[in-house]
Amino acid sequence: MTAEPTTPEHPAKPARRFALLSNRAGAVFLTPAGLLVALFVIIPFFWVIFVSFTNRTLLGRTALNPEFVGLANYFALFDPSNFFQRGQFGFSLILTTQFVLASALIGQALLGLLLAWLIQTVPPWIKRLTETFVIAAWILPEVVIGFAWFAFLDRDQGTLNAILGSVGLPKGDFLLQQPFWVIVVFNTWRGAAFSMMLFNSAFSSIPPSYFQAADVAGASSWQKFKDIALPLIRGHVVTDLILITMWTFNTFTPFLLTNGGPSYRTELLSIYNYRVAFRDFEFGKGAAVGVIIMLINLAFALIYLAIGRKKRV
Amino acid sequence: MSNRLRALAFGLVGATAMAGPAFAVDLEITCRCVIGGVNSATAEWIQNSVIPAFEAANPDTKVTLNQFGGEDAQLTQQLALDFSTGAGPDVTAFDGFLIPSFVEGGLLKPLNEVAGPEVDDWSGWAALSEGSRALMIYEDQYYGIPLGTDVRMLYTRKDMLTEAGIDAETWQPTSWADILDAARAIKKVKPDSFPIQLNAGVAMGEATTMQGYWLALLGTGETVLDENGKWIVGSQGILDTLNLYKTIYVDEQLGDARAQLLADGRNRSFANFRDGVTALLFEGDYFYRSVTPEGSEFAVPDRDKVMGWVKIPAEEPGKGIRGQDFVTISGGTGFVLNPATDTPKEAWALLSFMNEPARLEAFQAIQPRITARTDVAIPNSPFLTESSQELLPITTARPNDPDYNAVSAEIQRMTESVVSGELSPEDAMAQYRDAVIRIVGEDNTVSLL
C-alpha cells in the first residue's frame, strides 16, 4: 500500500516521466534544426514544385522571363509518342525499374542474404575477412571506386580483359556493349555489404538452440534456412528490401562509370534528371522530373513507415 | 576571460585575418587550359607572361589563374551555374557561340555596362578586324574581347595515303565520293585502320557540331537556318549528312564508331591520327597549332613530313553553301568579364591589358595563331598563312542565336543515334524535328522536304 505512490501509473504513461527537458526548452533546442529543415528541405520542396509548372531555363530567353506553362512539362514527360525512346523520361523510368529489380532485389538482397547465411558456419577468421572485403566495397569513396571500375573494365588496358586474355578467352568491350549489365554488377558489388550486415545480425539474433534441434532432427542446410531462419528474419528482409530499393532508385554513382551512355543506355532516372536540369539547363522540365522522383520516394517511404508501424504492434 | 570566450575571440581574429585581403585587389582568371595539358600554350601565356607583367604594372593587384582541365561543356556548365549565383572568376575564356544564350539568360552583361565608359575608349577596338569583333558581339554590344578565330580543314596522313596508292602531295578531294574512295583504298591495304574521322555523338559536345555536322551540311548547300532565320528541321541536306555518317560509321566502318560514343572519344580520335589509325581527320587549325606540336600528348612523329591538309569539298563540286566547291566554318574564342565581379575596373584593366599588342605578341611567340588584331602579325608559320589565306575567304559562322546552343545539343544527339546504329537517318531526323520544335516553337521551324 505505501509503495503505491512511488509506482503510480507505471505501465500506462511512461513517456511523460522521462522528459529530459521542459516543453519550452525542448522547443527552443529544436528551433535551429527546424529552421534548417525548413530552409533546406521544405522551401526547396515547394520551390521545385513551383518551378516544374514553368518553362524556366538557365540559358536563353526563358531564363529571365519564364512563363507559367501549367502541366506542360508533365505532359511532355509522359508524351506517348516518344515515351519509350532512348534519352526520354519513359525510357529512363523503365530502365531504372529494371535496374532496381536486377541490382537491388536480385543482386544486393539475394547476394547479401547468401553471404550472410554462408558466413554463419565458417571459421571466425574467414567470416571477418569476408566482412572486411564486402564492407570495403561499401565504404570506399564513390569517385575512387568509379575510377577503379573504369580501369578494371576498359577494353584496351583494363584488368578484366588482361585476365580474360591470359586464360585465352575473348576480350570484351563491356562499357560499350553491355553497359546495363556493367552497372547492375557494379551496384550489386557496391551495395551487397549493407544487406549482408543486416542479415548477418538478424541471423545472429536467432537462438542457436533452434538450429541445434534441427541438426538433431537431421535437417539439411536448405531446410534450416527455409523453415527456421527465413521466417524469423522476415521483418529484416522487408526493411532491407525497401531501403535498398529506395537507395538504388536514387543512386547516381553509375554516372561515374558510363556518363549515362552510350546512347542513353544507362541513363537512370537520377542521371536523366541531372542531364535535363544541369547539362541541358531546362530547369522547368528538370523540376518536373524531380517532383515525380519525390513522389515515388514518398510512396516508398510510406510503405516503409507502414510496415515499421505494423511490426511494432 | 573564460576559455570559451577566449576561443571565440581567437576564432574571430582568425576569421578576420583570413577574410582580409593580402592585396588590395584579387583577380581570378579562368580558362580551359592546363600547363602541360590541354591548351597548354594559353595557360603558359597567362601564367608566365600576362600575370607577371600585369602585376608589375599594378602592384596592389594579385591575379590567380584557374587552370580548368575538364571538357568544354563542363566549363560552360560551371560558368553558367557560377554566373547565375554571382560567383565565378572575374575574367574567363569564353567560346563566342555561347554569348547569345548567356546574354538572353541574363548571365552576361555588355562590357561597358560592367566596367564603365573606359571600355568604349579602349584603343584596341579599332585594331580588331570586323569579322573577329563579331565573334563577341550580340545585338550591337560587346561582351568580350576576341582572341582569335579559326578555320576547319581536312587533315591527312600522307604516309597512309601513299601506302594506298594515292599521290599524297597533290590529293585534293572535290566531292564526298573522293574522300570515301580514298578511305576505302586505305581500309583495303590496312583493314584494322579507321581512315575517316568526322566527329559525331553527344560526348564530344560542340566539337561534334562544329567539326562534323556543319562540315558536311555546308557541303550540301544548307545551314541549320534558312534565309528567313527559321530552323530547318527536315531537308535533303540533313538526310545526306546523316547518310554520310551512316556510310562512314555503320555501313562500311571507315571510321571508329567507338570513339564517337566513349566519354573520352575526342582524345581517342586524336590518338588514332597520331598512331596512324586515322588518315583523314576533320578538325580546326588548332589541331595543328595546339594538339599535335612536338612534346604534346598527341604529337605526330615527324609531323612536317607526315601531316598535310586539304580543303573540305562540298558533296559535289559547286553544291556547297553559296555555290562553293569547298566549305569551312569559323568560330572564335575570347575572354569575357563576369558581370558579378567585385572589381569591375580592375577586371577590365586585366582584360584589356592582355589584349594589347605587346602581350599578344608574347603569345604568338609561344604559339602562333590567327589573331583577332590586325596590328599583331601572324608569325612565320607557313601552315597558318596558307590555311588562313585559302580558307578565311570562304568561311561561314554559326548563327548568333540564343537557341543555337540547345539546338546544337540536339544535333549531337541526332548524329549519335545514327552512328550507334540505333536509328535510321530518317528516324533520327524526325526525332531532331520534334526536339527542335520543343526548343524554338513550331513557328520558327521549317521543313524543306
Side-chain angles (χ1 to χ4, degrees):
Chain A
M1 281 297 148
T2 48
E4 209 190 13
T6 57
T7 54
E9 56 298 78
H10 178 240
K13 289 186 185 171
R16 276 216 184 135
R17 299 212 6 169
F18 295 108
L20 290 169
L21 297 164
S22 72
N23 281 351
R24 186 180 299 181
V28 169
F29 277 104
L30 260 176
T31 311
L35 284 177
L36 286 175
V37 169
L39 196 63
F40 292 110
V41 179
I42 296 172
I43 293 176
F45 183 81
F46 286 105
W47 176 245
V48 165
I49 293 176
F50 169 72
V51 172
S52 77
F53 294 126
T54 70
N55 62 359
R56 192 187 171 89
T57 54
L58 181 64
L59 298 178
R61 293 192 182 98
T62 41
L64 286 186
N65 304 303
E67 291 153 17
F68 186 80
V69 295
L71 289 171
N73 285 321
Y74 294 91
F75 286 132
L77 292 179
F78 288 98
D79 181 355
S81 69
N82 61 13
F83 190 71
F84 296 104
Q85 259 172 27
R86 267 185 213 169
Q88 300 292 347
F89 173 75
F91 180 82
S92 285
L93 187 64
I94 293 163
L95 186 80
T96 309
T97 312
Q98 292 167 335
F99 180 67
V100 167
L101 282 175
S103 77
L105 301 185
I106 298 174
Q108 291 186 12
L110 219 58
L111 185 68
L113 190 65
L114 191 72
L115 279 171
W117 179 246
L118 290 179
I119 61 174
Q120 297 306 312
T121 44
V122 296
W125 69 271
I126 298 185
K127 181 173 176 174
R128 269 199 304 279
L129 200 70
T130 315
E131 282 175 338
T132 311
F133 273 109
V134 176
I135 291 167
W138 195 42
I139 59 170
L140 281 171
E142 309 215 308
V143 176
V144 174
I145 56 166
F147 274 107
W149 270 74
F150 196 77
F152 178 67
L153 293 167
D154 186 69
R155 185 190 67 166
D156 300 319
Q157 274 111 37
T159 323
L160 182 55
N161 272 335
I163 296 169
L164 287 176
S166 66
V167 295
L169 287 167
K171 294 185 172 190
D173 193 359
F174 308 101
L175 284 167
L176 281 190
Q177 305 288 337
Q178 290 90 24
F180 176 72
W181 294 109
V182 163
I183 61 169
V184 164
V185 171
F186 169 76
N187 192 48
T188 304
W189 172 86
R190 175 91 168 131
F194 174 77
S195 298
M196 186 195 80
M197 290 194 301
L198 192 118
F199 292 134
N200 192 16
S201 73
F203 285 138
S204 313
S205 69
I206 302 173
S209 59
Y210 291 14
F211 295 117
Q212 286 156 4
D215 281 339
V216 171
S220 69
S221 183
W222 167 245
Q223 285 167 330
K224 281 188 280 185
F225 175 73
K226 179 170 68 90
D227 296 329
I228 302 172
L230 209 50
L232 286 171
I233 64 161
R234 207 163 43 200
H236 292 87
V237 172
V238 174
T239 308
D240 181 69
L241 289 184
I242 288 168
L243 284 179
I244 62 169
T245 303
M246 232 162 119
W247 291 339
T248 303
F249 189 83
N250 291 304
T251 188
F252 191 75
T253 324
F255 181 83
L256 296 171
L257 271 182
T258 62
N259 251 302
S263 300
Y264 312 110
R265 283 196 283 168
T266 57
E267 198 172 66
L268 302 171
L269 214 45
S270 56
I271 298 173
Y272 173 79
N273 195 6
Y274 168 76
R275 169 166 69 86
V276 170
F278 294 111
R279 292 219 280 196
D280 301 347
F281 298 126
E282 294 183 47
F283 287 170
K285 191 175 164 196
V289 179
V291 168
I292 294 168
I293 293 179
M294 280 198 285
L295 290 176
I296 294 172
N297 280 324
L298 196 66
F300 282 134
L302 289 177
I303 297 171
Y304 179 62
L305 289 174
I307 289 169
R309 220 169 280 137
K310 209 178 274 172
K311 252 196 322 193
R312 232 169 279 142
V313 172
Chain B
M1 215 193 283
S2 75
N3 275 340
R4 196 178 301 172
L5 273 179
R6 200 171 292 142
L8 187 67
F10 275 125
L12 277 178
V13 170
T16 320
M18 296 278 281
F23 293 85
V25 178
D26 278 303
L27 285 177
E28 252 183 72
I29 180 166
T30 290
C31 60
R32 179 175 172 253
C33 59
V34 177
I35 292 178
V38 62
N39 294 327
S40 178
T42 312
E44 267 173 61
W45 170 59
I46 295 175
Q47 187 73 58
N48 301 333
S49 171
V50 173
I51 292 180
F54 185 75
E55 287 181 347
N58 302 273
D60 289 342
T61 309
K62 174 158 175 49
V63 183
T64 318
L65 170 67
N66 298 326
Q67 302 182 37
F68 185 89
E71 300 291 328
D72 279 323
Q74 290 167 342
L75 180 58
T76 309
Q77 184 180 21
Q78 182 169 338
L79 291 175
L81 293 171
D82 274 352
F83 286 5
S84 70
T85 54
D90 303 280
V91 179
T92 181
F94 208 78
D95 205 331
F97 83 97
L98 292 168
I99 285 180
S101 58
F102 269 64
V103 171
E104 292 288 344
L107 304 183
L108 274 182
K109 296 224 152 48
L111 286 178
N112 53 13
E113 200 177 299
V114 177
E118 49 263 60
V119 170
D120 301 321
D121 301 338
W122 185 51
S123 61
W125 295 122
L128 289 163
S129 68
E130 198 178 322
S132 62
R133 253 181 289 174
L135 295 169
M136 293 276 154
I137 286 182
Y138 177 59
E139 294 184 339
D140 300 328
Q141 299 274 6
Y142 286 107
Y143 290 89
I145 300 180
L147 189 63
T149 184
D150 53 17
V151 284
R152 271 140 199 84
M153 60 265 279
L154 178 57
Y155 287 92
T156 58
R157 274 196 73 116
K158 295 181 188 169
D159 54 341
M160 292 174 76
L161 284 169
T162 309
E163 220 177 310
I166 296 163
D167 182 0
E169 297 300 328
T170 59
W171 187 68
Q172 168 62 63
T174 54
S175 66
W176 291 358
D178 283 356
I179 300 177
L180 291 172
D181 285 344
R184 288 179 191 124
I186 294 167
K187 186 92 182 172
K188 208 169 192 181
V189 292
K190 291 177 80 116
D192 291 342
S193 69
F194 291 112
I196 303 184
Q197 171 63 37
L198 179 68
N199 288 355
V202 174
M204 297 201 198
E206 183 63 14
T208 287
T209 322
M210 204 52 175
Q211 273 84 251
Y213 186 79
W214 269 111
L215 302 178
L217 188 69
L218 289 169
T220 70
E222 292 180 13
T223 89
V224 297
L225 290 170
D226 75 353
E227 61 274 14
N228 304 319
K230 294 193 178 219
W231 300 89
I232 301 171
V233 291
S235 72
Q236 195 55 44
I238 298 177
L239 279 177
D240 287 358
T241 300
L242 295 179
N243 273 309
L244 177 66
Y245 274 112
K246 185 161 172 277
T247 307
I248 294 174
Y249 289 108
V250 183
D251 295 344
E252 305 190 28
Q253 269 124 48
L254 297 170
D256 185 354
R258 273 190 95 227
Q260 320 308 313
L261 302 175
L262 287 174
D264 66 338
R266 189 121 190 265
N267 285 347
R268 288 185 65 93
S269 75
F270 295 158
N272 280 347
F273 191 81
R274 174 195 64 196
D275 301 337
V277 174
T278 293
L280 307 167
L281 175 85
F282 293 84
E283 271 295 346
D285 58 272
Y286 49 81
F287 180 68
Y288 178 86
R289 71 177 139 82
S290 74
V291 180
T292 55
E294 211 171 304
S296 54
E297 188 184 354
F298 302 108
V300 175
D302 210 4
R303 173 166 80 155
D304 292 334
K305 270 199 192 141
V306 164
M307 203 169 144
W309 69 272
V310 296
K311 289 179 282 184
I312 299 165
E315 186 174 9
E316 282 156 19
K319 208 187 167 188
I321 188 82
R322 300 179 292 239
Q324 291 172 192
D325 296 336
F326 300 98
V327 295
T328 186
I329 188 167
S330 298
T333 56
F335 285 83
V336 300
L337 293 184
N338 183 342
T341 173
D342 298 329
T343 49
K345 304 276 177 205
E346 290 80 359
W348 164 253
L350 174 62
L351 177 63
S352 51
F353 180 85
M354 62 196 281
N355 284 287
E356 294 295 347
R359 291 277 70 77
L360 293 176
E361 273 154 20
F363 196 2
Q364 293 290 36
I366 301 172
Q367 184 199 82
R369 62 183 294 160
I370 308 171
T371 50
R373 280 186 80 122
T374 49
D375 54 355
V376 176
I378 302 177
N380 186 20
S381 165
F383 174 84
L384 285 175
T385 316
E386 279 173 34
S387 57
S388 59
Q389 275 172 0
E390 293 226 17
L391 297 176
L392 280 177
I394 59 164
T395 197
T396 329
R398 282 170 285 195
N400 206 357
D401 189 292
D403 290 322
Y404 172 76
N405 193 27
V407 173
S408 178
E410 292 306 329
I411 289 173
Q412 292 149 30
R413 268 167 219 154
M414 173 166 67
T415 57
E416 174 155 317
S417 24
V418 171
V419 301
S420 64
E422 188 184 337
L423 293 180
S424 67
E426 288 77 14
D427 291 345
M429 188 170 77
Q431 194 176 312
Y432 174 70
R433 182 194 60 222
D434 295 347
V436 174
I437 286 174
R438 271 200 301 278
I439 296 168
V440 303
E442 189 147 21
D443 296 346
N444 296 315
T445 62
V446 60
S447 178
L448 306 182
L449 282 177

